[in-house]
Amino acid sequence: AEFGKHKATALEKQEELARIRDDLQGEVKTLQASVTAEEQASAAGQKELRERLEADAEAQQRRLAEQIEEIEANLSEATATKEEVSSEFGKHKAASLEKQEELTRVCDDLQGKAETLEANL
């Protein structure tokens, strides 16, 4: 009878352990599924982040290329304007020098005539 009680108690404990084992295995499977889902979500998030960063980098490269083109166009225009201004300045400087020489000749002529008139008086 004593053996029968122990056997029944042992069977109950064995059944209880089996239930606990089954519960734990269920929890492990649930945790594994949760981890897998989190890993997939993390991978998807990283992929989305990488794609967003790549798109941002491409957009920034396009903006920089546009700015470089604009700067080059402005530089080209400024260079052309500088050459045009230098050319005009050179023309005006040459014309100014000619007028100055002409005025010097006229003044010299007038001074010569004035000296002649004084000498004749």
Side-chain angles (χ1 to χ4, degrees), residues 10-25:
L11 284 174
E12 286 175 14
K13 295 233 184 237
Q14 195 174 8
E15 287 173 2
E16 186 179 340
L17 285 174
R19 276 194 310 275
I20 291 172
R21 184 192 70 225
D22 291 344
D23 288 348
L24 288 175
Q25 285 178 340

Side-chain angles (χ1 to χ4, degrees), residues 5 10 17 32 37 67 72 88 97 100 113 116 118:
K5 279 188 200 176
L17 285 174
Q32 286 174 334
Q67 288 175 344
E72 288 174 344
E88 285 297 312
L97 285 174
Q100 189 176 0
K113 287 179 182 177
T116 302
E118 278 182 27

